[in-house]
Every structure is written in C-alpha cells, then in structure tokens.
Amino acid sequence: MDDELSAEDLLRLNVLMAQDVKAVRLDEGNLTLHALTSQGEASMPLHPTCREDRYLRLVREFLSGHALGSPGGYPVHLTRWTRHGQLASPDLGKLLLTGEPEAVTAVVYAPGLTDEVAEYAWWAMPSIENARLMLRREAVAQGRMGKVLADFLIEHL
C-alpha cells in the first residue's frame, strides 16, 4: 500500500475544491468527507490506500495545500496563539476548508469572526463551547446565528 491519496479520491477532491466550498469536516469513524458548498451539502466516502490515520492526514494535507497554500497541513503548533484570539486573518473562512478541528477552533476564537463565517464554523463543528465563544462576538450575537446559537445553548442547559 502506498502513502498517497487514491486516484478516485484525488479526482473527487479536485472537483470538489473547484466549487464554492464554504467548510469541510471529516468523519473519521466512517471515513467520509463532508463539504458545505453554495449548492448545499456534499459527501464523499474515502478509499484509503494506507493506514486510516495516515490517510486522513494526507486528505487534510491536500485540503490545507489547496485552501492555505500550506503543503504540510494546518500548522497545529499555533494552538496557543489561535486560542488566545490572536489570529488576525482577512479570510478566516479559508481555515474552515482544511478539515482540521483545531482550525475551526481558531476561527471561533478569532476577533474578526463574522456572522456568515460563524454559520460555516457551526456547520463544521457544532459544540456547546463553540456556541458560547461565538456568541461573545457582537457581529454573531446580533446576526442571524445569534438566535441559532442561543437556542442551542438553552436546549442543552
């Protein structure tokens, strides 16, 4: 077995990323990639050519290379920096294309979080902690997502 993406997955990923993708999440248990596009949700099963954990890393490296121009994947070593709200990026949405939970967390903590990007981050990783953090941002609390997140938190009290 080779440590590379299968030809089928590589083709599907390239076609997917040529579309207007808003966010990506990976279901590691079912080896499925889910994408939120301007056309709705899409999913594709993955066909590993090596160990599953290694294959998921290859998928994330591909996604990161496409979204951020970072061939080695999302720089997870920036965890402390991003969790302290020090991430300043004019296009936070690109981080949501990496399939990395830590990248979603970086977006949620970002001071420049918009209501639209919050919607995509919520799709990528809905959690109590993310809802709480996103509601700290005025743009989100006063936007369309404010009610969605508040309702979620009330339901889970």
Side-chain angles (χ1 to χ4, degrees):
M1 291 190 152
D2 296 323
D3 280 2
E4 59 185 41
L5 295 173
S6 70
E8 180 180 359
D9 288 349
L10 188 57
L11 174 63
R12 287 181 177 192
L13 284 168
N14 277 305
V15 169
L16 176 68
M17 298 313 283
Q19 298 176 42
D20 185 19
V21 179
K22 307 297 185 186
V24 171
R25 69 176 178 238
L26 289 168
D27 180 343
E28 295 181 8
N30 292 323
L31 288 175
T32 304
L33 180 141
H34 300 277
L36 180 63
T37 72
S38 56
Q39 310 292 304
E41 292 188 34
S43 64
M44 65 177 259
L46 298 172
H47 305 91
T49 58
C50 56
R51 280 191 353 252
E52 290 178 1
D53 61 324
R54 171 72 180 134
Y55 198 76
L56 290 167
R57 190 171 69 139
L58 291 171
V59 170
R60 286 187 172 105
E61 287 175 2
F62 173 89
L63 294 169
S64 181
H66 180 79
L68 305 173
S70 173
Y74 175 75
V76 177
H77 64 276
L78 296 179
T79 300
R80 285 189 312 254
W81 189 53
T82 59
R83 285 183 184 245
H84 291 289
Q86 297 172 342
L87 181 68
S89 172
D91 195 3
L92 289 171
K94 286 186 176 184
L95 291 174
L96 299 176
L97 303 178
T98 64
E100 287 283 355
E102 190 59 42
V104 176
T105 301
V107 169
V108 167
Y109 273 91
L113 182 65
T114 65
D115 191 51
E116 179 182 19
V117 174
E119 178 182 354
Y120 306 146
W122 183 246
W123 177 88
M125 199 164 84
S127 71
I128 291 171
E129 181 69 6
N130 285 349
R132 187 184 64 75
L133 289 167
M134 288 190 282
L135 282 171
R136 291 175 43 196
R137 304 292 175 215
E138 188 70 23
V140 177
Q142 298 302 318
R144 190 185 71 73
M145 284 303 295
K147 179 170 176 23
V148 172
L149 298 171
D151 287 348
F152 175 83
L153 289 174
I154 289 169
E155 182 180 323
H156 289 89
L157 281 176

